Amino acid sequence: MNTFGQIFRLTTFGESHGEAIGGVVDGMPAGIEIDVDFIQQELNRRRPGQSAITTSRKEPDQVELLSGVFEGRSTGCPIGFIVRNQNQHSSDYDNMRQLFRPSHADYTYYYKYGTRDHRGGGRSSARITISRCVAGALAKLALRQLGISIQAYTSQVGDIALERDYHLYDLSKTETNAVRCPDAEKAAQMIEQIERVKAEGDTIGGVITCVVKGCPPGLGEPEAHKLHADLGAAMLSINAVKGFEYGEGFAGVCQRGSEQNDIFLPGITTKTNHSGGIQGGISNGQDIYFRVAFKPVATLLKPQDTVDINGQATTLTARGRHDPCVLPRAVPVVEAMTAMTIFDHYLLNKTAKM
């Protein structure tokens, strides 16, 4: 229940206010160059307190690799790692011990297990995505040797949105602003909106677009574990994700088949890519692109009606440090889950041929 993947597998552990977040990556082939600085850089992109539009919690999020790496390369053995929590303010959550926060996992966890860690959401906290970013960085290092790149970016915050066509933007500019949007003008508008919402004690959601380039044809299974299905499952496992669409997605229902079909051209390529690089559940060699919808963060810094564990009506006013918009810090998480999924299917595909 805490393991992701089939061959490239990540098992995670830890809670938001526990001693550490960590995991074990199994299935990493031997001989992959392990760039620890790159792994740390990926964690820094997810780290709290990186800008005025993210949570003010200050954590170094320093990764410690415990096994599976020798002289800068993977050994083929499990790679164990931890990231220690150092800036917990657990007392900020004392008033939530007996209450269920609206739209959080408090009630469902309590109903399922009969107990819950109320400090920052415990296991349901987005802080758990640290482990995903470490494993995703390892997968990225392996994919780099295969010429496969992954780039996600914030394409919408509230009603401020980029055009759907990612070709219209220089995605190398994604990291040039706090909201991780490749359009500087739209980014400024997004940041202004997030700051305004934050000042009101409220939150806002949006959309992250992800593009995979260099993916070879043949990844994905024809029935169970279709590539787009596994990508969708990976994205929907991220905290606050409410929707996933690939290729033209829902917009494609307004067109006819004659408009949607990707016509083959000599050299076996396609004239268009409405399919989003996946046909029949298997990659076709074109760019894979998809969109992930994130809801507004559920923790508001304003009073909300709720109930306590006995079902009695009460009011909750949250305290602590929270993101007014999860998207800027979710971009590297989307990339990490994509990298793990693509690399897992690459390894799985190698077992399909004699």
Side-chain angles (χ1 to χ4, degrees), residues 151-164:
Q151 176 69 68
Y153 61 94
T154 298
S155 55
Q156 183 172 343
V157 172
D159 58 357
I160 301 171
L162 303 186
E163 298 292 333
R164 291 175 61 94

Side-chain angles (χ1 to χ4, degrees), residues 4-25:
F4 176 86
Q6 302 170 81
I7 296 179
F8 184 87
R9 295 162 60 89
L10 167 67
T11 301
T12 70
F13 65 85
E15 295 83 33
S16 176
H17 286 233
E19 290 296 319
I21 306 297
V24 176
V25 171

Side-chain angles (χ1 to χ4, degrees), residues 92-310:
D92 288 343
Y93 298 88
D94 286 348
N95 67 323
M96 305 180 192
R97 181 184 291 272
Q98 303 295 320
L99 306 182
F100 295 134
R101 294 172 297 172
S103 291
H104 276 275
D106 295 351
Y107 171 70
T108 51
Y109 268 56
Y110 185 78
Y111 191 89
K112 181 178 180 66
Y113 297 109
T115 185
R116 84 176 203 272
D117 184 347
H118 68 283
R119 305 166 305 165
R123 184 67 175 161
S124 68
S125 169
R127 186 154 176 77
I128 306 305
T129 58
I130 284 174
S131 298
R132 300 172 181 224
C133 285
V134 174
L138 291 168
K140 279 187 175 183
L141 290 172
L143 292 175
R144 180 188 294 176
Q145 297 188 186
L146 301 172
I148 301 173
S149 65
I150 298 168
Q151 176 69 68
Y153 61 94
T154 298
S155 55
Q156 183 172 343
V157 172
D159 58 357
I160 301 171
L162 303 186
E163 298 292 333
R164 291 175 61 94
D165 187 354
Y166 63 90
H167 294 97
L168 299 175
Y169 304 98
D170 180 356
L171 301 189
S172 68
K173 296 181 178 179
T174 297
E175 296 292 323
T176 61
N177 54 73
V179 77
R180 294 196 163 93
C181 170
D183 183 303
E185 183 177 345
K186 289 285 188 179
Q189 295 175 24
M190 292 175 179
I191 291 171
E192 182 181 3
Q193 185 175 42
I194 293 172
E195 289 175 337
R196 184 169 61 252
V197 166
K198 179 182 179 180
E200 297 170 356
D202 217 328
T203 62
I204 195 165
V207 176
I208 289 176
T209 298
C210 187
V211 182
V212 182
K213 292 182 173 292
C215 185
L219 304 192
E221 299 300 303
E223 188 55 33
H225 292 295
K226 294 176 185 288
L227 183 56
H228 62 270
D230 281 359
L231 282 169
M235 297 307 123
L236 290 165
S237 74
I238 300 172
N239 307 59
V241 169
K242 285 295 187 178
F244 169 83
E245 62 174 359
Y246 73 102
E248 290 297 318
F250 288 102
V253 304
C254 299
Q255 295 180 321
R256 298 186 179 187
S258 57
E259 299 172 292
Q260 274 281 296
N261 284 353
D262 295 319
I263 304 302
F264 282 106
L265 299 175
I268 312 187
T269 186
T270 57
K271 184 177 181 180
T272 55
N273 187 21
H274 300 299
S275 301
I278 303 171
Q279 294 171 327
I282 301 172
S283 62
N284 66 2
Q286 304 300 310
D287 289 352
I288 296 172
Y289 64 95
F290 56 85
R291 291 156 49 89
V292 187
F294 286 79
K295 70 173 184 175
V297 176
T299 299
L300 312 183
L301 298 182
K302 57 171 56 179
Q304 294 186 86
D305 292 333
T306 188
V307 298
D308 61 24
I309 61 175
N310 298 312

